[in-house]
Amino acid sequence: NAGVTQTPKFRVLKTGQSMTLLCAQDMNHEYMYWYRQDPGMGLRLIHYSVGEGTTAKGEVPDGYNVSRLKKQNFLLGLESAAPSQTSVYFCASQTPGHLGDTEAFFGQGTRLTVV
Amino acid sequence: AQKVTQAQTEISVVEKEDVTLDCVYETRDTTYYLFWYKQPPSGELVFLIRRNSFDEQNEISGRYSWNFQKSTSSFNFTITASQVVDSAVYFCALSDNYGQNFVFGPGTRLSVLP
């Protein structure tokens, strides 16, 4: 049981390049989230999804797009990377709280540097 | 909008001291969930506790205890007899009943000195 897996774990991009971060979970969770973590700012929610085929904006969505074509996968895309997007990105998944007791599981993080 | 405030940016204590990490939250929901996560230097996020808004009973787990007070919108975390291995960044988080707006506070960096 792998839990939440993020791919890749490290990446260096040049300004203007595009890339996609993959988050995969094998726990059949409904909800998935993408966060970025910057020093002194905690985790800020970029986008989230409450089910297959649905996505919504979080606190800092600009410059990112997401897709949830399959329940187990949540993709985060950067169309034209900027140095301000240098950060550590975390993916999380959970089952809706009202359906039972659960925690939110996090991936190991992706360290992205845009030069 | 939901918001979590952790006013303590950094705390340093000497081993075996007790330490309390503060968490204050804002929400308009009547049903919500509160969390604490630990992020050690290795970077992963470790789940510590989840509490729903209808359960105000305080919880103790070993050296860890949590004090949930709806009247003051606080969910504070106390480590008793701190150890060097407790050194980490601790995050408080808030989620609504439907998993939307799962937001984190800025974190408190705890350093436990030997």
Side-chain angles (χ1 to χ4, degrees), chain A residues 31 33 35 37 40 42-43 45 48 50 90 94 97-98 100-104 106 108, chain B residues 33 35 37 39 43-45 47 50 91 95 97-106:
Chain A
Y31 297 164
Y33 311 83
Y35 295 88
Q37 183 177 23
L43 281 82
L45 184 62
Y48 64 94
V50 298
F90 285 96
Q94 67 171 329
H98 63 284
D101 187 38
T102 186
E103 63 174 276
F106 281 82
Q108 293 298 305
Chain B
Y33 295 85
F35 302 77
Y37 281 84
Q39 188 177 44
E44 73 273 24
L45 285 152
F47 169 81
R50 173 184 181 270
F91 293 99
S95 171
N97 190 35
Y98 298 95
Q100 302 179 45
N101 288 319
F102 185 24
V103 295
F104 282 71

Side-chain angles (χ1 to χ4, degrees), chain B:
Chain B
Q2 308 206 133
K3 183 180 178 181
V4 176
T5 301
Q6 295 178 257
Q8 304 149 309
T9 304
E10 294 191 36
I11 301 176
S12 290
V13 299
V14 177
E15 205 169 18
K16 298 184 183 178
E17 287 185 357
D18 299 345
V19 59
T20 295
L21 309 182
D22 297 334
C23 172
V24 174
Y25 62 92
E26 296 177 28
T27 180
R28 295 178 182 174
D29 296 329
T30 54
T31 302
Y32 51 89
Y33 295 85
L34 295 163
F35 302 77
W36 275 96
Y37 281 84
K38 173 182 179 180
Q39 188 177 44
S42 52
E44 73 273 24
L45 285 152
V46 179
F47 169 81
L48 296 178
I49 190 171
R50 173 184 181 270
R51 175 55 53 84
N52 77 56
S53 53
F54 295 107
D55 183 3
E56 289 193 70
Q57 190 171 8
N58 291 332
E59 182 155 342
I60 298 175
S61 176
R63 296 185 296 108
Y64 296 169
S65 61
W66 290 269
N67 184 336
F68 176 28
Q69 293 196 345
K70 282 179 84 168
S71 60
T72 56
S73 296
S74 65
F75 187 44
N76 296 339
F77 173 33
T78 297
I79 302 175
T80 302
S82 60
Q83 300 176 1
V84 173
V85 293
D86 295 327
S87 297
V89 180
Y90 290 86
F91 293 99
C92 181
L94 168 67
S95 171
D96 66 22
N97 190 35
Y98 298 95
Q100 302 179 45
N101 288 319
F102 185 24
V103 295
F104 282 71
T108 298
R109 181 176 298 277
L110 174 65
S111 299
V112 181
L113 308 174

Side-chain angles (χ1 to χ4, degrees), chain A residues 11-20 78 81-82 112-115:
Chain A
R11 185 72 184 269
V12 178
L13 283 181
K14 293 183 178 179
T15 297
Q17 285 185 319
S18 63
M19 80 162 293
T20 300
L78 287 73
L112 175 65
T113 302
V114 183
V115 298

Side-chain angles (χ1 to χ4, degrees), chain A residues 25-45:
Chain A
Q25 53 97 0
D26 59 4
M27 296 170 284
N28 202 35
H29 285 168
E30 292 293 330
Y31 297 164
M32 297 186 74
Y33 311 83
W34 274 108
Y35 295 88
R36 59 178 289 171
Q37 183 177 23
D38 303 294
M41 303 191 74
L43 281 82
R44 292 183 292 168
L45 184 62

